[in-house]
Each structure stands twice: as C-alpha cells, then as structure tokens.
Amino acid sequence: MNAQSIEPKKRIRYLELDFIKTLAIILMILEHSVECLSSFDMDLVSPTGFLQKDVEFSFGYLCTALFIFSMGFGIAFTRKTTPAEFLKRARNLLILALSLNFLRNVIPYLISSAMSGGFNAVALFKCFFLTDILNYAAVLYLFTALLIKLKVPYYAYLPIGIFLRFVSVPLAGVEVESPVLNVLLGYFLPVGETSFFPFLNFYFYSAAGMLIGKIFADRQISTRTFKVIFWECTALLAGFFLSAKFNGFNLKDFYDLSSDSMQSPLHPMMFKFIPAALILLITFALFHFLLLKIDKNGPVLRFARFCGVHLNTIYIVHWILIAYLSLLFDILDFKLSFEMTMLAGLAITVVSLIITRLLPDLNLSQNLSLPGKKKPQVSDHQ
C-alpha cells in the first residue's frame, strides 16, 4: 500500500460510525464503573448472575471491539496518509495517553501512598506506562506508518492481524526479569498486570475496520447491500451460537474476563473474534436502518455526531471522574452494589458529556475520531 492507496476517491461520511462510537463509549463507561466502583470484582470472580454475565459480554469485550474497529474504519478516511503523518499522530496519541495515565493513575497513587506511608517506584512506573486504549492507538498508527512505508497493500492488513493474534497465543504470559521491560513489552503482548490492550491481541479489529472502511470509503453502500449484510451476518452469528451451544460452550462464559477464564485453553483462540466481527457488521447495518427513520437534523443524530467528534475528550473526562471517585471510595472503604454501579455509570456518562460540552475545543478528536470535522459528502440514505 503506498501513500495514495487508502485515499478515498470521494469524501463520504458514514454517520453509522458515529452511532457505533456513541454506543461504544457509553458501554465502556458503564464497564469501567463496574470495574472501579463496584464491590463485584470482574478480574477475580466470574460473573454469576444473568445481568452480570451480560455486562461482562456486552460492556466489556464487545464495546472494546467496537471502539478499536472504529479506529481502523476511521483510518480509511484519513486525508493525509504519508508515513510521516501517521508517525505524528502516533506521537500525539502517546503524549495524550501518558498525560491521561498521569492524571488518572500517578496522582491518585501518590495520594494513596502518602496516606498509607508506602511507596514503590516500580508501581509508580507501571501507573505511568499502563497500556490503555490510547496507548494501543499510538502503536496502531506507528504500525500503520510502517506498513505504508513498506507499501503493504491494504487488503493484507486483515491476514496480518489474524497472524499476529495467533503469534500472541504462545507468547502470552512470557515475562522478563526486568519489571520495566515487562511493562513496555505489555504494549505488544498480553504480559504483566498493566497490559490491557496488547497490540498483537487487538490489531485484528483495527485491520478489519480498515478493510471495511476502505470498501465503504470509495463507494456509497446501498440500503439493499446493508440488508444483505444484516441477514447474512445474523444467520452466521446464529449458526455460530447454536454450534457452540451444541458442543457445550457458553459464549458468555467464553467472554468472561476473570482470571479463571483467562487460563482456559479456549480463551486465546480465534473463535472469540468470529461473533464479535459479525456483531460489528450487524450493528453497522442496524444503525443504517435507524438513520433511514430519524430526522436528519433531530436531537438523536446531533447527539451521535457530538459523541463521534468528541470521542477522545469524553473518554479522558470519564476516566478522570472514575479515577478520583474510586480513590475517594477507597479512602472511605466504600463500594457500590452492582445495581447502584449501573446508576453511577449512567450519571458519570451524563456528567462526562456535560463537561465535554462545556470545555473549549481541545482538538483531541483529530487523533482517533476520523474522518475530521470538515463537512464531507454523506452516504446515500442521507
């Protein structure tokens, strides 16, 4: 792929992507609220209730897939596609990620250490370099710059993503003696306690987003095509679930992120990507059908556009709110029930949106929320 190969022939903005981003950020805020504020610890205990299993499946893994898929999809609409431009974006994203880590992790850790009288330099290093989704995005843009430099065609991105996922399986859990190197290695492999978004594990979704985004960027996808996508993916998804059930697998347990399930031999296999990829396409089609019904100048579409453009700012604001609420709860030795956490998560979502609306334009959206703010040609249903 050369510098021109992902440049769209005509500028189309798919508003379905704004809806996907909106859904993803709301689900992610709810998931982070459960992780940080609830008495229920998903990292240690498998969900037991029906609702809790749904939260783990939908709010956790699936919303992460939606989020990372949106990054790849947006890259296909990027106007500047030189390696230098992608390196610049990678640098900006890394600065943004480390700044968030400082506000969200380092400062609360220093406060907590001062109150408890304990301090550990390695723990402080882990707080600062923790691998979050913004760190992943920085590595994604860096890797994309490399692929462009090597002139790798865009249709090879998805096979590369699948290959990297398989490569990560035998390397998972591999650690070196140096805790500092372990933290940095966690940017690429699922090692250590700070590696939440290792690149090799999740690049598959971004690659799928780039491939689909490239197809969508060069043409207007008709409603008829979206219907075909919806029904075919729904049939495949139903077949996958029925096959799994027939063979004795509970897919909600399969997506459980607790430490017990992480040891399951099924966890690292590619099968977990199949339903998530199908759900992504089904969701895209459903939002297309929704756009056919709603007022193009109404509040629903304006809200989705706002979330799509200001995705990064909402993400950063919600994490700062949760981080200091969690610190306060730890000081007070207080945790919310699962049900109350859901209400708190909704409240944090609303407050994050209000703060984002009141903030001056921080220009953060240009890092992830692509395409940009200039008004492009929209898809045919608009």
Side-chain angles (χ1 to χ4, degrees):
M1 180 172 111
N2 55 38
Q4 301 297 324
S5 59
I6 63 172
E7 189 70 29
K9 297 177 183 178
K10 53 185 177 180
R11 193 59 51 197
I12 303 172
R13 179 172 183 131
Y14 282 92
L15 297 178
E16 295 89 347
L17 187 63
D18 286 333
F19 278 96
I20 285 180
K21 291 177 181 178
T22 302
L23 175 63
I25 191 63
I26 292 174
L27 293 179
M28 190 166 284
I29 293 173
L30 293 174
E31 165 72 3
H32 291 160
S33 299
V34 171
E35 288 180 352
C36 300
L37 306 177
S38 174
S39 57
F40 177 79
D41 192 340
M42 286 186 172
D43 292 329
L44 300 176
V45 183
S46 296
T48 54
F50 175 77
L51 177 60
Q52 291 174 348
K53 285 182 179 292
D54 283 345
V55 168
E56 184 73 351
F57 176 73
S58 301
F59 294 6
Y61 197 90
L62 183 57
C63 79
T64 299
L66 289 170
F67 213 97
I68 296 178
F69 171 87
S70 299
M71 293 182 197
F73 192 95
I75 286 177
F77 289 80
T78 304
R79 292 173 175 83
K80 298 178 181 179
T81 59
T82 63
E85 184 63 28
F86 276 91
L87 287 174
K88 178 182 176 182
R89 290 173 181 268
R91 178 201 65 193
N92 293 342
L93 280 164
L94 184 59
I95 293 172
L96 193 64
L98 296 179
S99 299
L100 174 60
N101 281 348
F102 180 79
L103 294 172
R104 174 188 57 185
N105 302 327
V106 173
I107 293 178
Y109 175 76
L110 292 175
I111 295 173
S112 179
S113 297
M115 296 183 64
S116 64
F119 176 80
N120 185 291
V122 173
L124 183 64
F125 181 86
K126 290 179 178 180
C127 287
F128 187 63
F129 286 100
L130 177 143
T131 309
D132 199 348
I133 200 164
L134 292 176
N135 308 69
Y136 167 85
V139 178
L140 171 63
Y141 275 89
L142 181 64
F143 188 68
T144 305
L146 175 63
L147 294 181
I148 294 174
K149 184 69 175 178
L150 297 176
K151 299 182 179 180
V152 177
Y154 73 89
Y155 52 79
Y157 286 17
L158 187 57
I160 290 173
I162 295 173
F163 173 75
L164 291 178
R165 175 57 186 163
F166 274 112
V167 167
S168 73
V169 173
L171 296 177
V174 174
E175 296 190 11
V176 296
E177 292 185 5
S178 169
V180 172
L181 291 179
N182 266 329
V183 172
L184 299 179
L185 187 61
Y187 276 59
F188 303 93
L189 294 171
V191 298
E193 58 189 17
T194 61
S195 179
F196 296 106
F197 291 93
F199 180 75
L200 269 66
N201 276 39
F202 288 96
Y203 179 67
F204 170 87
Y205 290 115
S206 296
M210 283 186 243
L211 178 61
I212 295 173
K214 168 62 180 175
I215 295 172
F216 281 34
D218 288 344
R219 59 186 60 82
Q220 291 181 332
I221 306 300
S222 66
T223 298
R224 180 178 179 181
T225 302
F226 273 113
K227 289 181 179 179
V228 172
I229 291 173
F230 173 79
W231 288 114
E232 289 188 358
C233 290
T234 300
L236 289 171
L237 184 66
F240 185 90
F241 270 81
L242 289 173
S243 176
K245 187 173 181 60
F246 179 78
N247 287 281
F249 299 129
N250 185 330
L251 287 183
K252 289 180 181 178
D253 290 336
F254 184 53
Y255 279 82
D256 179 3
L257 300 180
S258 71
S259 57
D260 291 340
S261 72
M262 291 290 282
Q263 304 303 319
S264 168
L266 287 174
H267 184 83
M269 290 191 177
M270 285 296 299
F271 293 119
K272 69 187 304 179
F273 293 109
I274 296 174
L278 293 173
I279 290 171
L280 286 171
L281 291 172
I282 292 170
T283 304
F284 207 100
L286 286 173
F287 282 133
H288 173 86
F289 302 146
L290 175 64
L291 283 166
L292 296 175
K293 303 295 185 181
I294 65 175
D295 181 2
K296 301 305 181 290
N297 296 312
V300 174
L301 189 52
R302 290 203 305 271
F303 175 71
R305 281 172 172 162
F306 174 82
C307 292
V309 169
H310 298 284
L311 183 68
N312 281 3
T313 307
I314 298 169
Y315 182 81
I316 291 171
V317 169
H318 101 272
W319 254 131
I320 293 174
L321 290 174
I322 288 178
Y324 289 95
L325 273 176
S326 178
L327 175 63
L328 178 62
F329 284 8
D330 287 342
I331 293 173
L332 299 176
D333 193 23
F334 175 74
K335 289 289 185 180
L336 296 174
S337 67
F338 182 82
E339 292 74 17
M340 289 301 297
T341 304
M342 290 290 96
L343 294 176
L346 291 174
I348 290 170
T349 302
V350 172
V351 173
S352 298
L353 291 169
I354 292 173
I355 293 175
T356 300
R357 182 68 181 86
L358 295 176
L359 285 173
D361 185 4
L362 300 180
N363 206 26
L364 299 181
S365 60
Q366 293 185 6
N367 290 321
L368 287 181
S369 303
L370 299 170
K373 296 181 180 179
K374 293 182 180 179
K375 186 177 180 180
Q377 179 182 349
V378 295
S379 53
D380 60 336
H381 59 269
Q382 300 166 62

